Amino acid sequence: GFKRCLYPIQKFSSDTERILAVILENDREDLKWVKPARGQFQIHYRFERAEHQYEPDFVVETETAKFILEPKQASQIDEDRVQAKAAAARGWCQAATDHARQFGGKPWCYVLIPHDAIQENMTLKGLVRAFGTAR
């Protein structure tokens, strides 16, 4: 069972997601995380002339910030659909950060992480430093 996750049991779509959960559980930083359920985030993006809804893989909160983490197959990072989702998530994070600043909340950051960069000995801080967007 997980101790830092909102739920003690999680289902993962890939071993990379499982490893990322282990990283979050073992991180020395005080944090909480969740794999959001469908519909919990209203992040919409356009791709091939249609509107779609983006479902983040992980949401993490630390003492100073909040993060949307998206592990993705390295070969897919530059695909148009992945980049459309990333742009929408970055825009959502910017809007959420702007709102948080008005009310004393924490900034948000989107982190698109190639699957082959995720290793169990990593930390959230290291992943954000390597792959995060400015807040």
Side-chain angles (χ1 to χ4, degrees):
F2 295 106
K3 303 244 185 282
R4 293 177 171 204
C5 183
L6 183 59
Y7 306 105
I9 298 173
Q10 284 293 318
K11 187 175 186 178
F12 302 107
S13 300
S14 67
D15 195 48
T16 301
E17 286 186 3
R18 182 196 62 77
I19 293 170
L20 185 53
V22 169
I23 290 169
L24 297 173
E25 284 291 308
N26 293 336
D27 201 295
R28 291 184 181 169
E29 189 165 347
D30 185 25
L31 60 82
K32 300 177 278 190
W33 66 275
V34 67
K35 285 185 58 61
R38 187 171 299 274
Q40 278 188 297
F41 278 73
Q42 298 294 313
I43 302 174
H44 298 274
Y45 69 100
R46 291 195 62 78
F47 180 70
E48 294 181 345
R49 293 186 228 150
E51 187 168 310
H52 304 274
Q53 187 163 327
Y54 167 60
E55 307 284 344
D57 284 341
F58 290 83
V59 175
V60 180
E61 181 176 10
T62 68
E63 192 174 313
T64 60
K66 296 179 183 180
F67 303 90
I68 292 177
L69 305 181
E70 181 68 27
K72 186 57 74 181
Q73 190 77 19
S75 62
Q76 296 175 344
I77 293 281
D78 293 325
E79 290 181 0
D80 291 343
R81 181 180 210 114
V82 172
Q83 289 301 312
K85 289 179 185 180
R90 286 184 191 104
W92 187 95
C93 285
Q94 185 60 58
T97 295
D98 293 345
H99 179 79
R101 284 188 180 128
Q102 292 178 13
F103 299 98
K106 300 173 186 179
W108 284 80
C109 177
Y110 177 72
V111 188
L112 179 61
I113 312 165
H115 82 286
D116 54 3
I118 299 173
Q119 305 296 320
E120 283 191 38
N121 65 343
M122 301 190 87
T123 64
L124 174 63
K125 213 174 258 185
L127 290 169
V128 170
R129 188 176 16 240
F131 303 105
T133 57
R135 285 178 268 149

